Amino acid sequence: MKVYKVPNDADQSLRLKIADLMMGQMESIGADNAYELLIASIDLTLKDNSLAHMFVVEDEEVIVGVAFFNIGISLEKGGYYMWLNDLYVHKEHRNQGIAKRLLLQVIHWAETENIKVIETETGINNLATKSLYNSLGFYDIISKRYGFTFS
C-alpha cells in the first residue's frame, strides 16, 4: 500500500480511478455530482499552478483513499492555509489506519510547504472522523459556514 501526491501529469487511468472512488464519497454525503463534474474537477486540480491538490492511497493498483484540498492565504495567520475539502476511504477499506496514514502524509506535505494551518469540517455526528482529527492534534473551531452558488 502506498500513499502519494497525485502528479499534475497523472494519466487518464488514474484520474478515472480517483473519480470512481469519489463517486462513493459524493453518494455518501447526498451530493448530486455527476461523474463528468468529478472528472472536470480532477482535471482542474491537476492543471499547472493549481492551488488544489490530491493525495491518494493505492493498494495493488486500486485507489482506496483520497484527500483533496485547496491552498489559500490567511490574513489572520500571515501565510498559507489549507482547506481539507475531502478525506475519504472506501468503505471496504476502513478501520485499517488508512485515513490516518493518508492524513499524516498530507500534514507532512503541508509542513514542508510552509502551510500555517489546516482546517476542515465534518458532520457533528461523525464521531470516527472527529476522533481521527483529534488524535492528530486538530481542535474544534466554532463557526457557522455560509455559501453562495451561482446559477
Side-chain angles (χ1 to χ4, degrees):
M1 193 169 306
K2 63 182 180 176
V3 180
Y4 60 92
K5 185 177 179 301
V6 179
N8 288 10
D9 63 352
D11 63 23
Q12 191 64 14
S13 172
L14 178 56
R15 293 169 190 240
L16 293 175
K17 288 178 184 179
I18 294 167
D20 290 344
L21 176 68
M22 291 305 295
M23 278 302 293
Q25 167 71 342
M26 296 299 108
E27 291 166 0
S28 74
I29 62 174
D32 293 330
N33 287 17
Y35 192 75
E36 294 77 28
L37 293 177
L38 277 172
I39 295 293
S41 296
I42 291 166
D43 288 345
L44 284 172
T45 298
L46 298 179
K47 280 189 164 198
D48 289 337
N49 301 317
S50 173
L51 296 176
H53 304 276
M54 286 184 290
F55 276 73
V56 294
V57 179
E58 186 176 323
D59 186 20
E60 298 180 15
E61 298 187 26
V62 175
I63 304 299
V64 299
V66 63
F68 169 72
F69 55 91
N70 285 278
I71 305 300
I73 297 172
S74 169
L75 297 175
E76 178 186 350
K77 301 295 181 187
Y80 295 108
Y81 76 94
M82 174 190 294
W83 179 261
L84 180 61
N85 300 70
D86 291 288
L87 179 69
Y88 181 72
V89 174
H90 189 278
K91 61 184 174 185
E92 293 177 11
H93 296 271
R94 293 182 186 159
N95 300 312
Q96 300 174 30
I98 293 172
K100 186 171 191 172
R101 187 171 168 189
L102 178 58
L103 189 51
L104 283 169
Q105 281 291 97
V106 169
I107 291 168
H108 175 74
W109 180 88
E111 186 176 29
T112 65
E113 295 295 314
N114 201 29
I115 305 297
K116 303 286 186 185
V117 66
I118 300 172
E119 292 185 3
T120 190
E121 71 177 9
T122 190
I124 58 174
N125 295 321
N126 191 339
L127 300 179
T129 302
K130 288 170 69 172
S131 176
L132 169 65
Y133 291 146
N134 291 146
S135 76
L136 294 175
F138 285 71
Y139 50 88
D140 291 345
I141 299 172
I142 306 302
S143 68
K144 179 67 178 159
R145 208 168 155 197
Y146 295 92
F148 179 88
T149 302
F150 293 91
S151 303

